[in-house]
Amino acid sequence: MLRFVKTYIIEGKTYQALEIFEVNGKEYFALLVLENRKGELELVTEHLVETFDRLLVLIEKKMPLFVTFNTPKVLKKQITTKINDSSEVLVVNAFPNLELDNFYYQLLKSKDRSVVSISKKDHINGYLEQFDKAGLQPFQIALGISTLQALEGFSQGAHMGSNFKVQLSQTVFEAYENVSELEAASIRLNGITFQNSYLLGFTQILGFLQQKGQPSNLTVLNQNLYQDFKNQKWFNFGIRFGLGLFLVLLLTNFLVFNHYHENNLALEAGIATTQNQDGSLKALQQRITNKEDRLASILNSKSSQTSYYLDELGKSMPSSIYLNDIQYQPLATPVRDGKSIDLVLDNLLVSGVTNEKIQFTVWSDNLEMQKWVEHVEIMDYEYLSKSSANFTLKVILNQND
C-alpha cells in the first residue's frame, strides 16, 4: 500500500511520450498522452507540432515525460548478432573505431539481428539543456527505434512509424527501413488506436510499465533524470501537504480554543456563585505561577554562555547558509503535566537551508574545530533541489573551554 501511494505521488496515472524526429529536413514533435486506468492504458490525446514553442503549450510539467530522440543525428544500423554478444561488442561491430565515451547508444535486440542506435552526447545534452531552460524535466529518454522491444509478444507484421517502417515477428523485428515522406496511418495496439507518428512514444511508456529495459549506456543518465523528477514531485507535494496540515491545525486550534473558552466562561460563572471553587482556582493559579517561574529559571540559566555560542555560530556561518531554528539545550522529552522538564544539556540544535554543499561541509568541519565545540553531528540532510538542501546539526558544547 505504501509503495502504491509513493508511486502515485511520483508518477501519477497519466504519462506523456514525446518523439523528436525529422522528415525531409523538417523537425517534428509528436506528443502522446496516455492514462493508466486500473492497469489498462487509455488514449488521452495526441499532438503533432513543428515548433518547440508550440510544444511547450501542450506539455504538462507535473506529469512524467518520456522522450525518444529519432533525429538524423541519431544514427541507426542493423547488424547480425550472436546470442552471447555484449552490448559494447555490438556497438563496435556496427560502428568501428567509435569513441564510446563521446556517444550514447541503445540497442533493439532479437535472436539473430539487432539495431544499434547512437548519438553524440553533445546532441542529446543540447536538447536536455533546452528542456531545462523551458522548465521541463524529462522522466526518461531513449534513442532511435530501441523502444520497439516492448512490442515483443504484442504485435506482428509490418508497421509504419514516424520516419521508418519495421517488420515485426515473435523475435521482435525482422527488418526496418527509413521513410523519406511523412505518411499518416493508424495503428491499433493493446486495444488503443493511434497515429503511426506516436508509435515510439507508445512503446516507451509500455516498456516502462513492463519494466523492460533496452541495453544501453543511458542507465546513469536516466537514473539522474528520474531522481530529479522525484525530488521535484516530493518537494511540491511537501509544500501542498504542509499548507494543508497548517490549515487543519489552525482550524483544530480554533475549535479547541472555542471549546475551552466556553468552558472557561462557565467556570467563571460557577466561581461567582460558588465560593467553594475559589480555593481550587487559587491552587490552579499557583501551579501556573510555579511553572512560569521554573520556565523563567531555565531560560535565564547560562544566558551569557548562550549569547557567546550564538555570536560564535553567526560569525562562522557562510552567506550560502540560512538558519531556520536554533535550540539551546533542547527538550529531551515533551513537556508533560506533573513531570519534570528534562533537557539535553550542553547541546545546540541548528536547522536551516544550504545552497552550497561544499561550503556546508567546510563550515561544519570548521565549526567542530572551535574551542567551544566538542563535536558536530549531521542529524539530517535532505535535498530540496539540485542546489539546495535542508539540514540539521547537533553541536555538542565543550564545557572545559
Side-chain angles (χ1 to χ4, degrees), residues 153-168:
F154 276 89
S155 178
Q156 299 186 53
H159 287 289
M160 173 77 72
S162 56
N163 57 8
F164 63 91
K165 290 181 181 179
V166 64
Q167 181 72 31
L168 302 178

Side-chain angles (χ1 to χ4, degrees), residues 150-339:
L151 291 181
E152 183 176 6
F154 276 89
S155 178
Q156 299 186 53
H159 287 289
M160 173 77 72
S162 56
N163 57 8
F164 63 91
K165 290 181 181 179
V166 64
Q167 181 72 31
L168 302 178
S169 70
Q170 289 292 345
T171 57
V172 181
F173 79 98
E174 294 294 336
Y176 93 98
E177 61 178 310
N178 293 322
V179 175
S180 59
E181 297 292 337
L182 188 63
E183 300 181 24
S186 294
I187 297 177
R188 184 169 180 81
L189 292 173
N190 201 33
I192 303 176
T193 301
F194 53 89
Q195 292 296 306
N196 57 299
S197 297
Y198 310 98
L199 176 60
L200 294 181
F202 176 84
T203 56
Q204 189 175 5
I205 294 177
L206 184 62
F208 172 77
L209 295 177
Q210 294 173 338
Q211 296 185 348
K212 285 186 177 180
Q214 297 80 41
S216 73
N217 63 349
L218 295 170
T219 303
V220 174
L221 176 59
N222 279 329
Q223 286 176 346
N224 291 336
L225 292 175
Y226 170 80
Q227 191 67 32
D228 291 341
F229 182 86
K230 182 183 73 171
N231 291 339
Q232 185 63 35
K233 290 285 286 189
W234 276 117
F235 178 72
N236 293 334
F237 174 78
I239 291 178
R240 293 194 301 269
F241 178 79
L243 182 59
L245 181 62
F246 173 76
L247 294 176
V248 170
L249 292 176
L250 190 63
L251 178 60
T252 302
N253 182 68
F254 171 76
L255 295 176
V256 172
F257 172 80
N258 187 63
H259 171 73
Y260 280 101
H261 180 66
E262 292 177 355
N263 289 344
N264 186 59
L265 292 177
L267 181 61
E268 290 179 353
I271 291 174
T273 57
T274 307
Q275 296 297 324
N276 292 335
Q277 296 183 3
D278 183 69
S280 299
L281 179 60
K282 290 181 179 180
L284 179 61
Q285 291 174 337
Q286 185 60 44
R287 289 173 58 192
I288 293 174
T289 301
N290 291 340
K291 289 185 177 181
E292 289 177 343
D293 292 340
R294 291 165 62 189
L295 181 60
S297 177
I298 293 173
L299 294 176
N300 291 329
S301 65
K302 299 185 178 181
S303 60
S304 60
Q305 292 95 324
T306 304
S307 298
Y308 170 76
Y309 299 145
L310 295 180
D311 288 343
E312 292 297 315
L313 185 66
K315 289 189 292 185
S316 66
M317 189 174 64
S319 60
S320 61
I321 294 176
Y322 308 91
L323 299 185
N324 293 332
D325 186 37
I326 301 176
Q327 298 182 33
Y328 173 65
Q329 298 190 162
L331 294 173
T333 58
V335 177
R336 292 174 292 178
D337 190 23
K339 301 293 183 177

Side-chain angles (χ1 to χ4, degrees), residues 77-106:
K77 188 172 183 180
Q78 181 174 299
I79 59 172
T80 58
T81 61
K82 298 179 181 179
I83 191 170
N84 294 325
D85 286 343
S86 66
S87 301
E88 289 79 6
V89 169
L90 295 178
V91 175
V92 172
N93 289 342
F95 299 96
N97 303 320
L98 189 71
E99 288 289 341
L100 286 182
D101 290 340
N102 299 324
F103 287 82
Y104 290 123
Y105 67 82
Q106 195 167 31

Side-chain angles (χ1 to χ4, degrees), residues 31-149:
L31 179 66
L32 178 71
V33 182
L34 301 177
E35 184 174 349
N36 188 358
R37 297 178 181 174
K38 298 181 180 180
E40 297 290 334
L41 288 175
E42 296 186 12
L43 177 65
V44 177
T45 185
E46 51 189 4
H47 300 279
L48 183 64
V49 297
E50 300 180 14
T51 64
F52 188 74
D53 291 337
R54 176 58 181 159
L55 176 69
L56 294 180
V57 179
L58 302 172
I59 289 181
E60 174 55 57
K61 296 181 180 180
K62 295 180 181 179
M63 297 178 186
L65 176 63
F66 297 80
V67 183
T68 298
F69 297 99
N70 193 26
T71 66
K73 291 187 178 180
V74 178
L75 304 180
K76 300 182 287 292
K77 188 172 183 180
Q78 181 174 299
I79 59 172
T80 58
T81 61
K82 298 179 181 179
I83 191 170
N84 294 325
D85 286 343
S86 66
S87 301
E88 289 79 6
V89 169
L90 295 178
V91 175
V92 172
N93 289 342
F95 299 96
N97 303 320
L98 189 71
E99 288 289 341
L100 286 182
D101 290 340
N102 299 324
F103 287 82
Y104 290 123
Y105 67 82
Q106 195 167 31
L107 281 70
L108 171 62
K109 296 184 68 175
S110 64
K111 184 177 181 180
D112 56 357
R113 59 176 58 87
S114 297
V115 174
V116 180
S117 300
I118 67 169
S119 179
K120 284 189 176 182
K121 292 183 177 180
D122 291 342
H123 176 62
I124 303 302
N125 293 337
Y127 274 106
L128 295 179
E129 290 175 3
Q130 188 177 10
F131 287 143
D132 185 62
K133 290 179 181 178
L136 296 178
Q137 179 60 59
F139 190 80
Q140 184 190 88
I141 68 170
L143 298 180
I145 63 172
S146 305
T147 60
L148 293 177
Q149 194 88 46

